[in-house]
Amino acid sequence: MPRVQPHPEHSEGGRKYGAFQKEIYEDGILRNKLPTVTTNPNKLEEQARNHLGVRSFNYVAGGAGEKATMEANRLAFRQWKLVPRMLRPTTHRDLCTELFGYKVESPVCIAPVGVQTIFHPDKETGVAEIAREVGVPYILSTASSSSIEDVAKASGDGIRWFQLYWPQDDEITISLLNRAKNNGYTVLFVTLDTWTLSWRPADLDNAYVPFATGIGDQTGFSDPTFLRKFQQKHPGKTPENDVKLASREWEADVFSGAAHTWDQIELLKKHWCGPIVLKGIQSVEDARKAVEVGVQGIVVSNHGGRQLDGAVGSLEVLPEIVDAVGDGITVLFDSGIRTGVDIIKALCLGAKGVLLGRPWVYGLAVNGKQGAKDVLKYLLADLDQSMGLAGIRDIGGCTRDMVRKGDASRAEAVGVLSGVDRGEVRAGKYAKYFQWFDEAEINFEGGIEGSDAIRQG
């Protein structure tokens, strides 16, 4: 009898991402080489902090207001639990799936993140390269520090999609869409929640907006229609000889403070020949409206907690949105993903794919494009291994019956409360967690520092 049961492999299959775990162990044991970027998702942000200046770190790690939406995103994941199944043929897993007509090797996509040059000189072009190497779609942000054309060249034959911060000027909008189409970007992601920047204390305290000095404006500065209009308005001026003026003009169009409306989707449909995906949907009503106006996809997202503070956690509303739209539209998810298990939970709750943001940015900060690549491989290996351990053989096996929702547990409450200062506790911000502790445990001076004792309790 063979030592390992010959579980059938999928006929097509895909990359065996879980094998990266073995590579890490072999590098350490045989070659005394340890990971440059930590594999611990709870230490990754702090490692990135040590490699970035204050303004750059605050820009990526910060959020809107008091970060209540960021906390809601993570708490939503903690409340959903996997229900593992045993004695299933999961020795060989298949992470392949289909998104917008494209066969992809996993349900993971690179989220559109702007101004990547402030994290590392490898910036967008480097990340587009490694996305192709790892086998995940790359979504280019309008707020890129590399041009549409340069990223397309770096991406090569990789799958690439384009995210639009929607200008007020229709002629400029059409020019951006044409450039993206002509350079092999095949799906259009339209961000709805960032027509103006939110109240972000981490950036405000340093008076830092990278776009004001031309960082993240390369999409505009390389656009012939924007340049023509800019020079008509300001004769003799160019982004090269007056970057601040050019930046103000570009920002005034892209982050204008004026919201678009549903009827204007028709302009995008008229000038884009591929799938259109609306990013930033948080309500059932908006999801149904997206189906009604005839787009092909939505991203259930709160911009990673960077826009509206006090908003609902994205995972919390994902199931009801999926149930409301049925098969009428492709539902993707982002906001709060930190682990492979998080990805499984989102898929089980109905998402067809996920967009990954901050983790790979932290990897980029630590070790350039190789660091970003390592983090992607970590997440995909974790996804692969955890699917097998949960009894899930392929993406189709990520179904609602594999998860269960419960209230925040005592252990989760400790995780949230550890390090919180006394003033915040008195303000009642964390009152929902107090059910897990008696008066003696929370009546203290100088913060919740007895968390080890509480854990033992």
Side-chain angles (χ1 to χ4, degrees):
M1 182 175 182
R3 293 176 59 192
V4 179
Q5 291 296 321
H7 296 161
E9 295 195 48
H10 287 247
S11 58
E12 295 182 6
R15 302 193 195 202
K16 308 305 177 187
Y17 289 107
F20 189 49
Q21 182 186 62
K22 182 180 179 182
E23 291 179 30
I24 294 173
Y25 283 130
E26 287 183 347
D27 278 345
I29 295 168
L30 302 179
R31 290 173 281 278
N32 200 30
K33 179 184 176 183
L34 299 179
T36 301
V37 180
T38 179
T39 63
N40 187 333
N42 294 324
K43 294 182 178 180
L44 186 55
E45 181 178 303
E46 190 60 30
Q47 188 180 23
R49 183 198 295 268
N50 295 331
H51 287 78
L52 291 172
V54 171
R55 296 191 303 178
S56 296
F57 176 78
N58 285 346
Y59 187 81
V60 62
E66 63 169 352
K67 294 188 177 182
T69 304
M70 290 180 66
E71 292 171 5
N73 285 335
R74 289 306 300 149
L75 181 61
F77 277 104
R78 295 288 178 85
Q79 289 177 325
W80 283 98
K81 311 293 185 185
L82 289 174
V83 183
R85 302 294 302 276
M86 300 296 122
L87 297 177
R88 289 183 165 187
T90 59
T91 302
H92 307 290
R93 278 88 56 196
D94 182 3
L95 273 61
C96 292
T97 189
E98 185 174 301
L99 294 174
F100 306 112
Y102 292 90
K103 177 73 177 291
V104 290
E105 296 188 76
S106 83
V108 177
C109 308
I110 294 281
V113 175
V115 297
Q116 291 177 33
T117 191
I118 71 173
F119 311 123
H120 195 276
D122 285 349
K123 58 181 182 177
E124 292 86 0
T125 48
V127 178
E129 287 177 21
I130 62 96
R132 173 179 52 79
E133 292 168 3
V134 176
V136 299
Y138 180 85
I139 307 175
L140 175 66
S141 170
T142 298
S144 174
S145 41
S146 304
S147 72
I148 291 172
E149 292 77 12
D150 285 347
V151 172
K153 183 177 180 180
S155 174
D157 60 358
I159 297 174
R160 52 184 175 272
W161 300 333
F162 183 67
Q163 175 268 339
L164 180 70
Y165 282 128
W166 195 347
Q168 288 295 312
D169 187 310
D170 288 349
E171 193 178 356
I172 292 175
T173 298
I174 294 167
S175 179
L176 297 182
L177 299 187
N178 286 335
R179 289 172 64 200
K181 284 188 295 184
N182 294 338
N183 283 278
Y185 299 81
T186 53
V187 179
L188 178 66
F189 285 72
V190 186
T191 296
L192 306 180
D193 58 16
T194 315
W195 44 272
T196 189
L197 297 181
S198 68
W199 187 260
R200 301 178 184 175
D203 294 333
L204 289 163
D205 284 352
N206 290 291
Y208 182 59
V209 180
F211 314 112
T213 56
I215 301 173
D217 297 337
Q218 191 57 38
T219 299
F221 291 177
S222 58
D223 188 78
T225 301
F226 170 76
L227 291 174
R228 171 175 55 79
K229 293 194 168 198
F230 174 69
Q231 290 166 359
Q232 287 173 347
K233 185 175 180 180
H234 304 284
K237 296 292 186 179
T238 66
E240 290 75 25
N241 65 30
D242 199 335
V243 67
K244 291 184 178 179
L245 178 61
S247 298
R248 285 198 298 272
E249 290 289 341
W250 178 244
E251 287 181 70
D253 199 30
V254 177
F255 303 117
S256 64
H260 288 281
T261 54
W262 285 102
D263 60 290
Q264 292 177 291
I265 297 292
E266 287 301 317
L267 175 79
L268 305 180
K269 291 169 64 178
K270 181 179 178 181
H271 293 280
W272 184 263
C273 56
I276 296 175
V277 183
L278 303 184
K279 182 175 181 290
I281 299 297
Q282 291 271 274
S283 75
V284 165
E285 292 77 8
D286 284 348
R288 287 176 174 152
K289 187 68 175 177
V291 176
E292 181 183 323
V293 300
V295 298
Q296 288 67 47
I298 59 174
V299 184
V300 178
S301 166
N302 55 36
H303 216 104
R306 293 173 61 79
Q307 279 301 99
L308 178 63
D309 197 33
V312 64
S314 285
L315 196 75
E316 186 173 340
V317 296
L318 176 62
E320 61 194 71
I321 288 176
V322 168
D323 291 343
V325 300
D327 295 327
I329 203 166
T330 297
V331 179
L332 304 182
F333 174 88
D334 83 6
S335 299
I337 290 174
R338 296 293 179 269
T339 70
V341 168
D342 292 340
I343 297 170
I344 296 173
K345 291 177 181 178
L347 297 174
C348 287
L349 293 176
K352 299 301 183 184
V354 302
L355 277 57
L356 183 67
R358 285 186 178 96
W360 65 259
V361 177
Y362 293 146
L364 178 68
V366 173
N367 195 31
K369 62 184 179 182
Q370 183 59 49
K373 184 176 183 178
D374 287 345
V375 171
L376 283 174
K377 291 173 72 175
Y378 297 164
L379 267 289
L380 289 165
D382 184 16
L383 170 62
D384 189 356
Q385 294 288 87
S386 297
M387 280 176 57
L389 293 170
I392 301 172
R393 185 180 173 194
D394 55 25
I395 300 304
C398 294
T399 52
R400 194 78 60 92
D401 62 343
M402 293 299 300
V403 291
R404 177 179 298 173
K405 189 175 185 180
D407 294 329
S409 69
R410 179 185 175 92
E412 289 160 354
V414 169
V416 172
L417 291 173
S418 297
V420 173
D421 68 44
R422 187 179 178 208
E424 290 182 293
V425 172
R426 280 183 167 175
K429 177 181 172 184
Y430 298 94
K432 62 186 175 183
Y433 299 108
F434 290 172
Q435 62 177 307
W436 301 102
F437 309 104
D438 61 32
E439 184 67 22
E441 289 174 319
I442 62 172
N443 184 17
F444 58 89
E445 297 289 337
I448 296 180
E449 296 179 350
S451 57
D452 289 339
I454 294 172
R455 287 189 179 96
Q456 294 172 8

